[in-house]
Amino acid sequence: QVSFIGRYAFLHCGMMKLYIPASVTEIQEEAIRSCNFLKEIHVSEQNPNFASVDGVLYDKSVRTLIHCPETRTELIIPETVTEIPYNAFENCDDLKSVTIPDGAKIIDYRFTDCYQLNQVCYHGIEFIIHANIYNELAPFFKLIDEKDLSVKIKFEEKCPIVMELFSRNPEDEKIIAYIRKTCSKTFQFLIDENHSEMLEKLLNTGLFITKKNIDKFIQYANQKQKHEIQLLLTDYKYQHFEVKSKNLKL
């Protein structure tokens, strides 16, 4: 009976499925590598050291994600996972969507082979990235974990995350200051995305819209034919900035 799977044991193997019996007690690092047709890994329930969940290989406690099959296109990592080795997603160039649990320790280069990855959910916050050869996810994790608003991310990728952070903590002074600093870009982005609910949240704070900029946003909404948002902004203008001409005479 096989009890040990050594390094590179399945290097460039053309298998589509891998079954690990109860007898295997040790799997060396990179034992499964560049198996470009691998769809799923299954582990015997009697195995003392390893487990499989939805075709992905984990340790027995499902705290460490050991290997994701190369052909996976999406993955929801179990909430129990806290460790993801650097090569867990090696050659997973078909992976497009991944959900990462709050407790997982993330290092950016773990996703460098995931060239098509563009949808990530982390700490319950979903965000879109423009997939590239490096897949630089570290700035996104830093923004979410540390609320570091100075990270270098494209505005259209950064703004939805900032809005979600604001929704969760609308009194955060750092986030408020950032939205004020990027007020024009933020409101134009939300108008473009037809995000009336988020716009209403920002309006209700009274922190960002002024008598000087309200007309600019109304005009922009009109140009973009976002008539519902145009009406929302117009109503806000009337309620907060328009001087009523009627005076009460005694």
Side-chain angles (χ1 to χ4, degrees), residues 13-19 32 34-42 52-57 67-75 91-92 94-95:
C13 184
M15 62 187 173
M16 298 177 69
K17 296 182 181 181
L18 173 63
Y19 176 76
I32 309 167
S34 299
C35 298
N36 296 331
F37 300 98
L38 185 60
K39 293 183 177 181
E40 51 193 64
I41 301 170
H42 296 286
S52 58
V53 178
D54 193 25
V56 177
L57 180 62
H67 188 82
C68 176
E70 282 79 345
T71 62
R72 285 297 291 262
T73 58
E74 59 182 26
L75 177 63
N91 294 317
C92 290
D94 290 328
L95 190 67

Side-chain angles (χ1 to χ4, degrees), residues 18-213:
L18 173 63
Y19 176 76
I20 299 173
S23 59
V24 173
T25 56
E26 182 178 354
I27 300 175
Q28 282 196 333
E29 184 178 301
E30 296 186 319
I32 309 167
R33 184 175 181 182
S34 299
C35 298
N36 296 331
F37 300 98
L38 185 60
K39 293 183 177 181
E40 51 193 64
I41 301 170
H42 296 286
V43 180
S44 169
E45 292 183 0
Q46 284 71 47
N47 190 293
N49 294 341
F50 303 100
S52 58
V53 178
D54 193 25
V56 177
L57 180 62
Y58 299 89
D59 70 332
K60 188 64 176 181
S61 63
V62 194
R63 293 181 181 174
T64 301
L65 193 162
I66 297 173
H67 188 82
C68 176
E70 282 79 345
T71 62
R72 285 297 291 262
T73 58
E74 59 182 26
L75 177 63
I76 299 176
I77 301 173
E79 289 293 329
T80 54
V81 171
T82 57
E83 297 288 340
I84 302 177
Y86 75 94
N87 59 349
F89 293 95
E90 190 171 28
N91 294 317
C92 290
D93 50 13
D94 290 328
L95 190 67
K96 298 177 181 178
S97 171
V98 62
T99 297
I100 304 166
D102 293 356
K105 295 178 182 178
I106 301 298
I107 296 178
D108 188 38
Y109 56 74
R110 293 169 186 176
F111 296 95
T112 53
D113 281 345
C114 305
Y115 305 135
Q116 296 190 63
L117 182 63
N118 63 7
Q119 186 172 350
V120 181
C121 181
Y122 181 58
H123 279 283
I125 297 178
E126 295 183 3
F127 56 91
I128 303 296
I129 64 172
H130 295 293
N132 57 73
I133 194 168
Y134 299 110
N135 263 331
E136 297 176 351
L137 293 177
F140 293 91
F141 298 141
K142 193 171 184 180
L143 173 59
I144 294 170
D145 283 332
E146 304 174 20
K147 295 186 178 65
D148 185 349
L149 298 163
S150 66
V151 295
K152 303 300 182 182
I153 301 174
K154 291 181 179 180
F155 187 80
E156 62 269 25
E157 299 173 335
K158 189 175 187 178
C159 188
I161 299 176
V162 173
M163 291 300 100
E164 180 61 31
L165 293 173
F166 175 78
S167 293
R168 296 182 179 194
N169 191 358
E171 297 180 358
D172 189 302
E173 293 183 0
K174 287 173 59 178
I175 297 175
I176 290 172
Y178 176 83
I179 297 174
R180 279 177 168 164
K181 183 179 178 181
T182 62
C183 187
S184 291
K185 290 176 69 176
T186 295
F187 272 77
Q188 288 175 1
F189 174 82
L190 294 175
I191 291 170
D192 287 338
E193 296 297 312
N194 208 28
H195 207 324
S196 57
E197 183 179 346
M198 192 66 239
L199 278 167
E200 192 166 6
K201 287 182 181 179
L202 294 180
L203 290 173
N204 288 339
T205 66
L207 297 173
F208 309 108
I209 291 293
T210 67
K211 193 173 183 179
K212 292 182 179 180
N213 64 19

